[in-house]
Amino acid sequence: FQAEDGIRDYKVTGVQTCALPIFITWYRGKETKVVIPATILGKPVCGLGGGGAFKDRSDLVSVSIPDTVRFISPMTFFDCKKLESIALPPKLEAIGYNAFQGCSSLTEVRIPASVTKIDGGHVFIRCHRMTEIIVDKNNPNYTTVDGVLYDKAVTELWTCPGGKKGVLRIPATVKGIGSYAFAGCGQLDRILIPATTKEIDDRAFVECNAPHEIVESVGITQKALRQEGPNQGQSGEKIK
């Protein structure tokens, strides 16, 4: 796709059909500090998709996303290793699985109030420098405690950022820990799990060698607590 208005760096869908908004499916430009346009051919850009619009662009340093974008599809920024900053737009609704996997230079991410779906703990997996996930206080679906992502009621732990250090004390309200929640968290010294936690997905600690001392919860077996390698715990079975 080469637009008459000079936008030549993107492959998109939705150009042919007036009823559909624009989805960017591939960035082929040379800029390392990217400013995504709000419109293409007069139509709003509402999504970044295509199974990896910026996938494997290890040269990208920053990306500015327009306020029109509501969806970030799976693997959009997969393995953008030098990506240091990205501001999520205020009307964003959903972030797909593995969207930021391998963005090892990101130190934090801010989730706006509008987000209704973050597709699993592997959205931010292998973001080894990320120390904090920040959620807008007005988001009705998610919140953070000590930089760790939970559901709003703080009953489910979704994601611990990969750069988190020291001792992590999980709140006593937490009843479950999700898939890949601690994947790649190699800088934590201890994870203290309260007795209220009854369910841990058996992939929660994939690629995580950190939890040397864990306060076991009632009813949780050691199987989930000792996942250390990338080939461990792939069955999806939940430990109860």
Side-chain angles (χ1 to χ4, degrees):
F1 167 71
Q2 291 188 347
E4 294 179 359
D5 57 0
I7 301 173
R8 302 175 184 273
D9 293 337
Y10 303 94
K11 182 177 179 181
V12 304
T13 61
V15 174
Q16 309 297 330
T17 308
C18 293
L20 294 178
I22 295 290
F23 269 73
I24 290 175
T25 60
W26 182 31
Y27 173 69
R28 55 191 176 197
K30 296 181 179 180
E31 296 294 325
T32 60
K33 297 181 178 180
V34 178
V35 179
I36 298 173
T39 61
I40 292 179
L41 294 178
K43 298 178 66 175
V45 174
C46 83
L48 309 178
F54 295 85
K55 183 175 180 285
D56 294 326
R57 285 297 301 262
S58 59
D59 57 331
L60 292 184
V61 175
S62 65
V63 178
S64 177
I65 303 175
D67 291 354
T68 54
V69 169
R70 298 193 176 189
F71 307 98
I72 296 178
S73 297
M75 302 181 73
T76 294
F77 296 101
F78 183 94
D79 258 5
C80 291
K81 298 182 185 301
K82 293 183 180 179
L83 185 62
E84 297 176 351
S85 65
I86 189 163
L88 301 183
K91 295 181 181 179
L92 185 68
E93 297 176 15
I95 306 173
Y97 65 86
N98 299 105
F100 293 95
Q101 177 174 333
C103 292
S104 53
S105 294
L106 277 179
T107 58
E108 68 174 33
V109 65
R110 294 177 179 269
I111 309 296
S114 54
V115 171
T116 59
K117 183 177 182 181
I118 299 173
D119 198 1
H122 39 44
V123 168
F124 302 108
I125 191 173
R126 299 191 183 120
C127 293
H128 299 306
R129 294 184 186 176
M130 185 178 291
T131 58
E132 188 173 24
I133 298 171
I134 302 167
V135 177
D136 188 291
K137 65 180 181 180
N138 294 317
N139 188 300
N141 304 288
Y142 299 98
T143 190
T144 49
V145 178
D146 252 354
V148 178
L149 182 67
Y150 298 87
D151 69 322
K152 190 67 174 181
V154 195
T155 59
E156 298 287 333
L157 192 157
W158 288 109
T159 305
C160 178
K164 193 77 174 169
K165 298 179 180 180
V167 177
L168 177 66
R169 296 178 181 272
I170 297 174
T173 54
V174 172
K175 297 179 180 178
I177 298 176
S179 178
Y180 298 101
F182 288 94
C185 292
Q187 301 181 66
L188 285 169
D189 296 321
R190 299 171 66 200
I191 300 172
L192 303 180
I193 303 175
T196 52
T197 304
K198 305 295 186 181
E199 189 173 278
I200 297 181
D201 189 283
D202 66 358
R203 292 172 292 183
F205 295 96
V206 169
E207 298 183 16
C208 180
N209 298 318
H212 304 300
E213 296 180 38
I214 300 178
V215 179
E216 288 187 55
S217 301
V218 176
I220 294 179
T221 73
Q222 283 293 315
K223 178 182 177 183
L225 303 182
R226 290 176 179 169
Q227 301 299 340
E228 295 183 353
N231 297 319
Q232 301 282 336
Q234 298 302 310
S235 69
E237 177 187 359
K238 291 186 176 181
I239 307 301
K240 296 183 179 180

